[in-house]
Amino acid sequence: MGRGTAYITFAGRSVWALLNTYHAVLREGRCLPDEVHIIAETPCMPGPATAVEGIGIISRRYVTSPAVSVTTVPCGDFAGAAGTVLDLARRRVAEGYEIALDITPGRKALIVSACLALADAGIAPAHIFYLGLQGGGPLPLPHPMIPLHLQTLHDLAGGP
């Protein structure tokens, strides 16, 4: 039996994309991570302290307390960042964790690089989450304040 779930996400331009997807995952019961790993590009992205605090607040709402870590990678070094994600995933899989990957907040080139690195290594995440919003770009609101009919949580690896 596995040890649990390692949830890997990205600190993007807006902390709302990261926090809202995490909130939707917990609210819909898609997975309950034991660990949350935030990959943050520096210095081009805002600091991840708000994301770490938000993960804690949301987790307490669902009576869980995952370990949260932040790994910084140089801005624009997509291959290096993909290597960081791959190393993290390899270590977690070797320890019996399943991988949940949140692609909502990351920059496209970073997400594609990370997914290709995982695929080349034969690591298939149990979940690949994407929170889609109808009507355009991100809304700077907490998940519960965005009408549910305007947002759809997709699990591109684990089902609808």
Side-chain angles (χ1 to χ4, degrees), residues 19-148:
L19 295 177
N20 286 345
T21 306
Y22 181 72
H23 196 159
V25 165
L26 286 146
R27 183 183 63 79
E28 292 189 15
R30 300 290 184 98
C31 80
L32 192 62
D34 300 281
E35 302 176 348
V36 175
H37 301 278
I38 300 169
I39 309 299
E41 285 186 281
T42 58
C44 59
M45 298 298 171
T50 302
V52 171
E53 180 181 6
I55 292 290
I57 292 167
I58 293 165
S59 296
R60 285 189 295 279
R61 163 72 174 85
Y62 293 92
V63 194
T64 188
S65 57
V68 180
S69 70
V70 176
T71 302
T72 59
V73 296
C75 186
D77 180 7
F78 303 120
T84 298
V85 171
L86 179 58
D87 290 345
L88 172 62
R90 279 185 173 143
R91 286 193 315 271
R92 303 334 283 152
V93 168
E95 293 180 9
Y97 286 82
E98 73 175 15
I99 302 298
L101 185 65
D102 170 19
I103 65 170
T104 309
R107 296 197 305 156
K108 291 175 190 75
L110 177 56
I111 297 301
V112 169
S113 297
C115 288
L116 287 172
L118 292 173
D120 286 348
I123 296 174
H127 305 280
I128 300 176
F129 293 116
Y130 176 75
L131 183 63
L133 295 177
Q134 291 180 17
L139 297 172
L141 296 170
H143 173 68
M145 294 180 70
I146 301 170
L148 292 179

